[in-house]
Amino acid sequence: MWLALEIGNSRLHWGLFTGTTLSHTWDTDHVAESLTQQLCQCRTLDDLPPEIFPSHVRNQQIVPDQTPHPPIFLASVLPQQTAIWQNHPHVRVLTLEQIPLLNMYPTLGIDRALALWGAGKSLGFPMLVIDAGTALTFTGADTNHYLIGGAILPGLGLQFTTLRQKTGQLPQVQTEITCLPPRFALNTPEAIQSGIIYTLLAGIKDFCLSWWQLFPDAKILIKGGDHGLLLKYLQFQFPEIAARLIVQPNLIFWGMREVVKFC
Ligand SMILES: Nc1ncnc2c1ncn2[C@@H]1O[C@H](COP(=O)(O)OP(=O)(O)OP(=O)(O)O)[C@@H](O)[C@H]1O
Ligand SMILES: CC(C)(CO)[C@@H](O)C(=O)NCCC(=O)O
Ligand SMILES: [K+]
C-alpha cells in the first residue's frame, strides 16, 4: 500500500494505491508546517488526522486497522510545500529525473510531466494533456515519448479572480453558469464571462486543432479542477472538439504509478 500526494497550486490531491490499483482519491487543503510535524509521529494510517485522511475515505474501511503508515510518494509544484514535507519519515519526493520522457527542460512542472507520462503510457503516444487547474496547461509528446512542448496560461478561476483584483470596479463573477453568455454583452458580469469564456474556448480549440495538424488522430486528454466546466462550455460552443476530448482526472496518479514501479 502507498499514498500518492500531488501538491498543486490550490490544494493537495491524494491517491491511495494497493500495488498498482488506485482505490481512492481525495483532495485536501494545503497543510501548515505544524501539522506536518504532527504527521511525522503517525505510525499507522488510522493515526492520520482528518485534515489529511478524511472520514469519508476512512469510513470506506478499505484499510485494515493498525495498517502501518505506508510510504507517501510526493510530486509538488510548490517548493515551499515540498520543503515542509520532505523531512517526513515516510515521504519520498519524486523528481523529473525519474520520468522517462525525452527532451524535458529543467524547469518543466513535474505535474505536467507526470500527467503526460501517465496518459501516454496508459492510452498511447502521441498524447496531448490539457490540465485545467489553477494554471491551464497544454503538454504534448510524440510517438517516441519525445516532449514536443506546450503552453501555460491563467486557468479559468484565476482569470476571473485577477480581473477583479487588478481593477477598480470589476466584480467577482460566477465561473459556473448554466448556459453561455451573449457574445456581445450589455452588462458587466456577462461581459466578463463572455470575454474569458469565449477566448478560453477559442484558445483550447486552436491548440487542439494545431495538435491534430501535427498528429492526426492523436489523443487529447483533459484533467484538472475546471475540466468539467470547460468541457460543458466546449460542448455548447465546439461540440465536435468536445466529443474528441477524453476526460481523465487521475492522470497524475497514473504517472506516479508508472514511476513508483521502478522505485
Ligand atoms: N473543491 C474545489 N476546491 C478548489 N478548487 C476547485 C474545486 N472544485 C473545482 N475547483 C476549480 O479547480 C481549479 C483548480 O484546479 P485543481 O484543483 O486541479 O488545482 P491545482 O491542482 O491545485 O492546480 P495546479 O495543478 O494547476 O497547480 C480552480 O480554478 C477551481 O475553480
Ligand atoms: C504550470 C504549473 C503551475 C501548472 O501546475 C506547473 O506545472 C509549474 O509550475 N510548471 C513550471 C513551469 C513549466 O512547466 O514550464
Ligand atoms: K495540476
Side-chain angles (χ1 to χ4, degrees):
M1 189 170 283
W2 56 282
L3 285 165
L5 169 57
E6 186 217 347
I7 301 185
N9 285 291
S10 305
R11 46 190 177 151
L12 307 183
H13 308 278
W14 295 86
L16 179 66
F17 278 90
T18 309
T20 54
T21 305
L22 177 60
S23 48
H24 282 278
T25 63
W26 65 96
D27 300 320
T28 67
D29 290 334
H30 288 141
V31 301
E33 195 163 357
S34 52
L35 184 65
T36 45
Q37 276 156 13
Q38 182 192 330
L39 294 177
C40 293
Q41 317 298 326
C42 297
R43 289 166 181 280
T44 68
L45 264 182
D46 297 310
D47 292 340
L48 289 175
E51 295 94 317
I52 295 296
F53 196 50
S55 49
H56 70 268
V57 185
R58 191 185 302 260
N59 293 343
Q60 307 275 330
Q61 302 198 318
I62 22 146
V63 190
D65 286 350
Q66 300 303 313
T67 301
H69 196 308
I72 302 176
F73 287 89
L74 179 151
S76 169
V77 294
L78 287 190
Q80 285 168 333
Q81 279 275 317
T82 318
I84 291 180
W85 281 92
Q86 66 190 1
N87 297 325
H88 187 295
H90 300 292
V91 165
R92 301 200 216 158
V93 178
L94 298 176
T95 60
L96 278 187
E97 290 78 61
Q98 290 162 281
I99 306 170
L101 272 176
L102 304 174
N103 196 40
M104 288 191 291
Y105 55 93
T107 61
L108 177 68
I110 192 161
D111 56 341
R112 301 176 62 195
L114 279 172
L116 178 58
W117 187 244
K121 285 297 278 183
S122 308
L123 301 177
F125 289 96
M127 175 61 73
L128 181 72
V129 171
I130 305 176
D131 187 348
T134 311
L136 192 141
T137 60
F138 301 89
T139 316
D142 71 9
T143 325
N144 300 317
H145 308 167
Y146 190 88
L147 180 72
I148 298 295
I152 304 170
L153 63 145
L156 183 67
L158 199 52
Q159 294 203 27
F160 282 94
T161 305
T162 35
L163 205 50
R164 173 179 58 80
Q165 284 174 346
K166 301 289 182 187
T167 57
Q169 49 181 14
L170 294 187
Q172 183 69 31
V173 176
Q174 272 196 316
T175 53
E176 179 153 15
I177 46 181
T178 45
C179 52
L180 290 178
R183 166 80 65 164
F184 297 100
L186 280 170
N187 63 67
T188 304
E190 286 188 333
I192 294 171
Q193 286 165 340
S194 169
I196 292 175
I197 293 173
Y198 288 116
T199 51
L200 206 42
L201 295 180
I204 292 172
K205 176 189 176 192
D206 196 59
F207 270 90
C208 291
L209 293 181
S210 301
W211 182 251
W212 286 320
Q213 226 162 44
L214 284 173
F215 305 103
D217 304 323
K219 291 194 170 75
I220 302 183
L221 268 63
I222 182 164
K223 67 173 289 287
D226 288 319
H227 81 262
L229 272 184
L230 280 180
L231 204 60
K232 187 173 91 176
Y233 301 153
L234 213 52
Q235 275 155 357
F236 284 122
Q237 186 71 357
F238 303 118
E240 68 291 353
I241 303 282
R244 293 184 66 183
L245 301 189
I246 303 170
V247 175
Q248 184 37 257
N250 293 330
L251 287 182
I252 298 249
F253 299 133
W254 290 9
M256 290 171 91
R257 176 176 65 197
E258 290 299 322
V259 169
V260 166
K261 272 184 203 167
F262 299 101
C263 283

